[in-house]
Amino acid sequence: MTSTGIRLHAPAPGWSIPADVVVVGSGVAGLTAALRCEAAGLTTVVVTKARLDDGSTRWAQGGIAAALGDGDTPGQHLDDTLVAGAGLCDENAVRLLVSEGPDAVRRLIDTGARFDTDDAGAIQLTREGGHHRRRIAHAGGDATGAEISRALVDAVRARGLRTIENALVLDLLTDAEGRTAGVTLHVMGEGQHDGVGAVHAPAVVLATGGMGQVFSATTNPSVSTGDGVALALRAGAEVSDLEFVQFHPTVLFLGPDAEGQQPLVSEAVRGEGAHLVDADGTRFMLGQHELAELAPRDIVAKGITRRMQEMGAEHMFLDARHFGAHMWEHRFPTILAACRAHGIDPVTEPIPVAPAAHYASGGVRTDDRGRTTVPGLYACGEVACTGVHGANRLASNSLLEGLVYAERLAADIAAERAEHAANGPYTRVPAPVRHPDTPGTPAHPLLAPEDRLAVQRIMTEGAGVLRSAASLERAAQRLAELHDRASDTLDGEGKTAEPGVDTWEATNLLDVARVLVAAAALREETRGCHWREDHADRDDAHWRRHLVVTLRADRSLAVRTTESADFPPTR
């Protein structure tokens, strides 16, 4: 691993605190990792961009997948995951997920999560797209993420873990040998800390969630701006599979000009028997896949998009009127309320839906212990690319992946700490290299706040559900223009737009957008949720492999391919 030496332009840290581990993110992955590290006796600090319970996890409606039901097995779960991943899953990573998943869910229940149960006290299980068994555990009907978040936040507060809320992570700190030495961050608003500071620690866990805000319409909250992937790129880490962005098929259609976070209509609605229909009431998914509306998400999203193109329509419909009021009110109260808030009553009328950016199957490349290619830097959850999801995530595997791999990386951090302690005096916090506040230090040009919207529109138009060489070339050219325009205004201090949360976020979005477009342009095939209209077929001979991207010191991208669908070691 070679560090780029590039950091965001920001003031030097005005305060610092020491720790054994700093976890960035407060979703299921981040809080699970923090709790396990703290239980192992490690001084752990949790940094989160908003409030502790404001991450992407709480928006998850459907549930968490695990082989918990009678007749179900980890092997069957593995088979469904491999099929959904379209030949690009790392089979060892999936095997770890499905075999360790059931016990990880039970430990989550022991932590305090309460899943919906039947009259006998057994966990209720439902189906979602790509699953041949009922294996999705849910809570509050369609509020699974909110319940998991509640349980983990309560546990973190009960254990007294130190947390820094409303803090945007900026860059990785490293020592003279290139090992992780902590992070810089900016705390927004009043609190114990304010402004730019640092947490010095030999282990950093990225659990920053997704990057859905790189598109105009997404199910992701406004904080999902790819900060973790961008930080990792600047630190010299490898990222992979960013071209595989899952567009959720059924997002509430709010109009052609709607932008930002859009209400999700969970796949569990289809799992309970809702039908996708066009304006004529025709079930267009019949005959396209053996599972019809419950096909893997990439197939359903493509089916909806094709039908929209055929009919010249802006959306399709999800028809669940046959559920009746009682089922809507008790099984899907959150979705019912969201629809009614926008003037649609699913009890009496079909729901207008269209695909929107939902989940990044790729991210910072890790091994099966969450280790990245930068010593001391770990990643888990949506920001990570473990090889589990391949070219398309199987529904409800995301919460499980965050849970299982958070536990695995916490165990690795604890084991490494114990090994150091056994071999002699242990220096808890390495000395970071001095903050680059002098002229001549590589600086990352910052985008103006209004460029965030420009990036989103470029990506939606050129790298959305349907892509081509021409659309991707236009997107790459327009992104390069934004990048070059910022670079051309660098002054002697390496400063462009005024440093601040809005400019840092816009810059992070540009970083991940450039990687996504470069990978999507290079992958000349259609696979999983990467759909090239000019290369309509899957090409295993040339493309059953991963694209791995790093950032060079001159801010250009280096892209290589792996030799197979299995990831090589990170160390």
Side-chain angles (χ1 to χ4, degrees), residues 198-225:
V199 180
H200 295 159
V204 171
V205 177
L206 295 178
T208 51
M211 56 184 194
Q213 289 290 325
V214 78
F215 294 95
S216 297
T218 177
T219 63
N220 291 189
S222 61
V223 294
S224 298
T225 51

Side-chain angles (χ1 to χ4, degrees), residues 210-339:
M211 56 184 194
Q213 289 290 325
V214 78
F215 294 95
S216 297
T218 177
T219 63
N220 291 189
S222 61
V223 294
S224 298
T225 51
D227 307 320
V229 173
L231 175 150
L233 281 166
R234 292 192 294 272
E238 294 181 354
V239 302
S240 185
D241 295 359
L242 284 200
E243 67 269 35
F244 297 114
V245 176
Q246 188 174 81
F247 288 77
H248 198 288
T250 53
V251 176
L252 184 62
F253 181 74
L254 301 180
D257 298 323
E259 294 178 326
Q261 186 178 10
Q262 313 287 302
L264 175 67
V265 182
S266 170
E267 195 151 324
V269 178
R270 281 175 282 138
E272 296 292 352
H275 302 144
L276 281 166
V277 298
D278 58 25
D280 297 328
T282 302
R283 288 182 63 188
F284 55 87
M285 286 304 299
L286 292 176
Q288 294 199 36
H289 191 276
E290 61 170 332
L291 296 176
E293 285 93 352
L294 285 178
R297 289 179 177 175
D298 64 307
I299 294 173
V300 180
K302 291 171 187 174
I304 291 174
T305 302
R306 285 193 190 99
R307 196 63 160 189
M308 288 164 55
Q309 291 175 332
E310 291 168 2
M311 301 190 71
E314 295 176 325
H315 62 83
M316 290 288 107
F317 294 93
L318 186 65
D319 192 353
R321 289 174 290 179
H322 54 284
F323 284 7
H326 183 270
M327 182 172 177
W328 269 110
E329 291 166 0
H330 290 84
R331 179 65 178 87
F332 300 111
T334 306
I335 299 170
L336 178 63
C339 288

